[in-house]
Amino acid sequence: MNTQDYRRLRLKLSSTILLFSLVPLLALGFIIHDQFKRAYTGKVKGQMQVIVNNKRSSIDMFLDERISQLKTLAQTHTFGELSRQKALEAVFRTVQVNSGSFVDMGVIDADGNHTAYVGPYPLKHVNYKNEQWFHEAMLKGVYVSDVFMGFRNFPHIIVAVSAHEGDRNWILRATIDSDVFDSLVRTVQLGDAGDAWLVNRDGQLQTTPRFSGKVLDPSPLPMLAPCPGARVDDMDLDGSRRIVGRAWLNRAPWLLVVLEDPTEEMSPLFRTQWIVMTLLGVVMILILIGTMLSTNSTVRKLINAEREKAALDASLMQASKMAALGKLAAGVAHEVNNPLSLIQESAGWIKDLLTEEDPESIANFEEIEDAVNKIELHVDRARSVTHRMLGFARRMEPMQENVDVNDIAAQTLTFLENEALYRNIELTAEFRRDLPRVTTDTAQVQQVLLNITENAIDAVEKDGSVTLRTGYDRDAEQVFITVTDTGSGIPREDLGRIFDPFYTTKKVGEGTGLGLAIAYSIMQKLGGTILVDSTPGDGTTFDVRLPVHSAPGMANGA
């Protein structure tokens, strides 16, 4: 899997976890909030309905009491008695002691003449014969007016009852100040934004609202058709949501309107909603963080497992190649050694024969001797190759010795001093003094260092440097030797192949490609590792690491 695949996997895992976590949470939160909102809104509207019904009953009761007072006076007194000014004043004072809601009182005969009047206005002797309310009072027996200006040019309400004495009909009338109804309605105003008022059938205000309008102005709300009981609705008023309760009075043709700001009454609901949303947000953030952490952890573990698997596969493949090629090399070496031995033996026999001859008597003696020497030289070179192949193939068990790696590195440099001097290459040793001793095979470690250092010198070619450093990794309990050269470096595409047998970047005839493969095989047997880091143009560093304690299975040579 590449980086894009891991990114898709991380996205799929995160999406799946979030889907199965957040969707049920959001659905549960929505259902609980919706049910709570419905229940609380129903409770608020129910309370509003109760308030409107109670206030309507209290206003109806107030009017009933005023009407009953006038009826009682009309039934307990005669027209003649109440037509006397002093008698009417006495009756009015008595009524005012008990209620105090009347502004004035008057007695009107059947012709509409105001025969007696008690009050602050000059209304005595005023004739009401042409007033509509006069005829309705005479006809229906009881009359309650809307707010009107009348002769006094001031908003007021009249309550009139008619009485009968034989053939005589007359009216007892009283005036109620509209401010009395204002005070009655104002007691029902709820909260800082609540309001209440009365409106007649024509849509005119009968009381003064709390915030806007005055008596006899048009109602700011649409009218409600006459209906029994109270009705509660949600309305938008001047861009604000309001709960509106409305109910028609029984005693007068007035509509009681009560407004309430739901944000005040439903503040517990909004506070609960805010708390729920906050908790929901916190839980969602925790789920999101948990999802990201768990997903990243899972993908990271998967990446590590993939890497370990790839490393194991590479190691098994390398071991398989080494084993197969080892068998092949052993077979080839054995097959080649026999003819080489015959060639070398024949060359030696020719040389022996030449020693018995007189060089002067044989033409081209020197050329024959030189050819025989070349035959022996190249046979030795071929035998050296076959010996290396046999060394690669044979299963030599490493020996256990308690050695100082600094000594092995120093001896290796000694072997190569002349070669480096010839090429003007500086060999530098940077050894750690307190290096712990290592239980390992001295000869095989030296072979590894010799191969790597030779390769480093070949990579530099001339006029450069090769540095050997030793150190100790306390955490891994490993001693390491690094070989750094200033050569041209190894291309990245070749780094994965340099330990393959017979792979070489040297010219034909200058290398067999077995040195690093043998070094790799030796380090595996010794329980160590060999790593390479190279940047083209900046040189190469080989890192050879050996465990301080011997690897399991090593032979004890002590």
Side-chain angles (χ1 to χ4, degrees):
M1 297 176 70
N2 53 31
T3 305
Q4 192 69 21
D5 294 333
Y6 286 120
R7 190 173 300 154
R8 291 197 192 97
L9 177 62
R10 184 181 288 108
L11 182 60
K12 287 182 180 178
L13 289 175
S14 301
S15 302
T16 303
I17 295 174
L18 290 177
L19 178 66
F20 284 97
S21 301
L22 294 182
V23 170
L25 179 65
L26 291 175
L28 181 63
F30 174 77
I31 293 173
I32 292 176
H33 170 70
D34 184 66
Q35 293 298 319
F36 183 75
K37 181 179 179 181
R38 288 173 183 270
Y40 199 84
T41 302
K43 181 180 178 182
V44 170
K45 289 186 176 180
Q47 289 179 344
M48 171 64 82
Q49 196 167 27
V50 172
I51 291 171
V52 172
N53 281 327
N54 291 340
K55 181 51 62 178
R56 179 185 62 179
S57 298
S58 66
I59 296 174
D60 281 337
M61 186 178 298
F62 173 81
L63 290 173
D64 284 340
E65 289 176 353
R66 304 291 87 77
I67 293 170
S68 297
Q69 283 180 324
L70 295 180
K71 282 184 175 181
T72 302
L73 292 174
Q75 291 173 359
T76 56
H77 297 76
T78 64
F79 175 77
E81 292 173 345
L82 293 180
S83 295
R84 294 195 296 272
Q85 185 66 28
K86 291 188 177 297
L88 184 61
E89 291 176 355
V91 169
F92 182 72
R93 284 195 298 271
T94 302
V95 172
Q96 288 295 83
V97 170
N98 293 327
S99 65
S101 57
F102 291 133
V103 177
D104 58 14
M105 183 176 291
V107 178
I108 303 171
D109 62 15
D111 296 327
N113 296 315
H114 216 169
T115 59
Y117 171 76
V118 179
Y121 300 101
L123 298 178
K124 192 173 181 181
H125 307 301
V126 173
N127 189 281
Y128 296 100
K129 186 176 182 179
N130 296 325
E131 300 297 326
Q132 183 179 358
W133 66 265
F134 172 78
H135 297 284
E136 289 189 15
M138 292 295 286
L139 179 62
K140 298 179 180 177
V142 176
Y143 177 77
V144 177
S145 73
D146 293 340
V147 176
F148 69 106
M149 303 299 285
F151 290 106
R152 64 196 71 187
N153 199 26
F154 185 80
H156 65 285
I157 299 169
I158 63 170
V159 178
V161 297
S162 62
H164 305 281
E165 293 179 14
D167 295 334
R168 175 181 292 172
N169 295 326
W170 56 282
I171 291 175
L172 180 60
R173 178 194 62 83
T175 302
I176 302 175
D177 193 339
S178 61
D179 291 341
V180 175
F181 288 95
D182 285 344
S183 61
L184 280 175
V185 173
R186 194 173 296 125
T187 57
V188 80
Q189 293 170 349
L190 304 173
D192 296 333
D195 203 350
W197 62 79
L198 290 171
V199 59
N200 64 10
R201 289 180 184 273
D202 297 329
Q204 289 181 317
L205 292 173
Q206 302 299 293
T207 58
T208 303
R210 184 180 181 183
F211 298 107
S212 63
K214 60 182 183 296
V215 174
L216 298 180
D217 283 350
S219 172
L221 293 179
M223 289 301 293
L224 175 69
C227 61
R231 177 174 173 177
V232 178
D233 300 298
D234 289 329
M235 289 187 179
D236 287 331
L237 185 62
D238 296 333
S240 301
R241 181 169 173 262
R242 292 288 186 271
I243 298 177
V244 181
R246 293 175 291 181
W248 285 96
L249 301 183
N250 294 324
R251 181 53 64 183
W254 297 340
L255 178 67
L256 172 64
V257 180
V258 179
L259 268 67
E260 184 177 9
D261 185 356
T263 57
E264 293 181 354
E265 188 62 25
M266 299 177 70
S267 58
L269 172 63
F270 298 142
R271 186 165 52 251
T272 303
Q273 184 181 27
W274 184 85
I275 293 173
V276 171
M277 295 300 292
T278 302
L279 292 177
L280 193 62
V282 171
V283 172
M284 290 176 65
I285 292 174
L286 291 177
I287 290 176
L288 182 62
I289 294 174
T291 300
M292 298 304 297
L293 291 177
S294 61
T295 302
N296 289 335
S297 176
T298 302
V299 174
R300 189 164 49 248
K301 288 180 180 178
L302 183 60
I303 291 174
N304 291 335
E306 288 284 340
R307 287 177 177 171
E308 291 176 359
K309 180 176 179 299
L312 180 61
D313 291 343
S315 177
L316 291 175
M317 183 177 294
Q318 179 72 12
S320 177
K321 287 191 292 185
M322 298 290 287
L325 291 173
K327 292 180 181 179
L328 176 62
V332 171
H334 281 296
E335 292 297 328
V336 173
N337 272 340
N338 290 333
L340 286 178
S341 297
L342 292 176
I343 293 172
Q344 190 174 32
E345 186 177 344
S346 299
W349 176 69
I350 293 173
K351 288 183 71 175
D352 291 341
L353 292 178
L354 288 176
T355 57
E356 296 175 358
E357 298 295 333
D358 181 8
E360 299 295 335
S361 62
I362 300 176
N364 301 322
F365 180 86
E366 291 182 356
E367 286 78 1
I368 295 173
E369 186 179 31
D370 185 58
V372 172
N373 289 333
K374 287 183 178 179
I375 290 173
E376 286 186 334
L377 175 62
H378 288 288
V379 167
D380 288 340
R381 287 187 61 189
R383 190 181 297 281
S384 174
V385 172
T386 58
H387 284 172
R388 287 190 181 184
M389 294 173 67
L390 287 173
F392 171 73
R394 67 183 176 180
R395 301 295 181 183
M396 292 180 59
E397 292 298 333
M399 303 296 289
Q400 281 192 357
E401 301 169 288
N402 193 13
V403 299
D404 186 346
V405 172
N406 286 338
D407 293 340
I408 300 176
Q411 291 174 8
T412 304
L413 289 179
T414 302
F415 295 153
L416 300 172
E417 283 179 349
N418 292 333
E419 180 72 16
L421 183 62
Y422 175 73
R423 300 191 186 191
N424 194 26
I425 295 174
E426 181 183 3
L427 292 180
T428 304
E430 297 179 1
F431 298 156
R432 178 171 169 170
R433 293 181 179 277
D434 57 345
L435 204 63
R437 298 180 74 84
V438 177
T439 303
T440 188
D441 188 320
T442 303
Q444 297 198 40
V445 172
Q446 194 167 62
Q447 183 179 351
V448 171
L449 290 180
L450 192 60
N451 279 331
I452 294 175
T453 310
E454 279 182 332
N455 286 341
I457 291 174
D458 291 340
V460 174
E461 294 183 352
K462 63 179 181 178
D463 299 331
S465 66
V466 175
T467 303
L468 266 70
R469 295 185 181 88
T470 60
Y472 178 53
D473 186 344
R474 189 176 299 279
D475 295 335
E477 294 186 348
Q478 291 178 335
V479 170
F480 60 84
I481 312 108
T482 61
V483 180
T484 304
D485 65 62
T486 58
S488 58
I490 303 173
R492 184 167 298 279
E493 60 271 18
D494 292 336
L495 283 177
R497 304 172 57 194
I498 60 174
F499 295 112
D500 290 349
F502 304 112
Y503 176 79
T504 180
T505 58
K506 295 179 180 177
K507 297 178 182 177
V508 176
E510 294 183 359
T512 61
L514 291 173
L516 288 179
I518 293 172
Y520 186 88
S521 177
I522 289 174
M523 292 307 297
Q524 278 194 322
K525 292 176 182 176
L526 297 179
T529 58
I530 178 170
L531 304 173
V532 59
D533 182 23
S534 181
T535 302
D538 292 338
T540 303
T541 296
F542 280 85
D543 184 6
V544 178
R545 290 177 173 263
L546 290 166
V548 174
H549 305 289
S550 61
M554 289 179 62
N556 190 349

